[in-house]
């Protein structure tokens, strides 16, 4: 390392605490696994099966659709941390907040998601995110609105 170079501090890379809710942690784990291993990641599917039981397919398919649509429409690369990280990146926090908000306020969820993805409109991504949040709620595991530290 040269004297002029500067590496960002871990607190800058991972500025947010791990979410408290079990549903939020499941979403974060599955999101991280799909970002690393693709939308067909077996660990993400297994985690959904373990938590949701026989109803796991709906949230799993909707998370896959959300991740694919976010990847397709985004004008920027999102920073996703490995599963072992005890904190979350700003992008993970923003994505989870947009998903959680999309259920109660679809317009706010769309706005948050569009800002995160650096696009003007992302209606399909926002609607799949809303359907994902609805699936978690319908199966008894509602997502929390993620709060900033």
């Amino acid at each position: 390392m040269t004297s002029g170079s500067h590496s960002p501090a871990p607190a800058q890379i991972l500025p947010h605490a791990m979410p408290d809710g079990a549903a939020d942690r499941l979403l974060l784990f599955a999101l991280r696994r799909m970002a690393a291993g693709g939308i067909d990641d077996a660990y993400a599917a297994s985690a959904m099966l373990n938590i949701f039981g026989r109803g796991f397919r709906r949230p799993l398919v909707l998370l896959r659709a959300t991740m694919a649509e976010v990847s397709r429409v985004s004008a920027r690369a999102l920073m996703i941390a490995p599963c072992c990280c005890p904190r979350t990146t700003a992008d993970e926090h923003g994505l989870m907040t947009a998903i959680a908000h999309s259920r109660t306020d679809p317009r706010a969820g769309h706005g948050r998601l569009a800002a995160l993805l650096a696009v003007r409109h992302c209606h399909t991504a926002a609607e799949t995110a809303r359907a994902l949040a609805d699936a978690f709620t319908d199966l008894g595991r509602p997502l929390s609105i993620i709060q900033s530290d």
Side-chain angles (χ1 to χ4, degrees), residues 93-94 97-98 101 107-117 122 145-146:
H93 178 83
T97 301
H101 270 285
R107 192 171 288 190
H110 175 268
R112 285 176 178 269
L113 194 55
L116 176 69
L117 303 178
C122 58
I145 302 298
I146 310 298

Side-chain angles (χ1 to χ4, degrees), residues 11-98:
Q12 291 175 312
I13 296 171
L14 301 164
H16 299 282
M18 187 69 76
D20 290 329
D24 299 319
R25 286 179 185 253
L26 170 63
L27 178 60
L28 178 63
F29 174 78
L31 184 146
R32 285 177 170 178
R33 288 300 315 174
M34 287 184 184
I39 61 174
D40 291 326
D41 185 79
Y43 291 107
S46 178
M48 294 284 208
L49 174 63
N50 287 333
I51 297 300
F52 292 118
R54 287 189 277 184
F56 82 101
R57 285 180 192 87
R58 182 174 163 219
L60 178 62
V61 168
L62 288 167
L63 179 57
R64 286 174 174 165
T66 300
M67 294 293 286
E69 189 60 21
V70 163
S71 177
R72 183 188 72 79
V73 74
S74 185
R76 59 181 288 272
L78 301 181
M79 183 184 291
I80 306 295
C83 289
C84 62
C85 286
R87 296 183 58 83
T88 62
T89 68
D91 292 338
E92 290 169 332
H93 178 83
L95 182 56
M96 291 178 62
T97 301

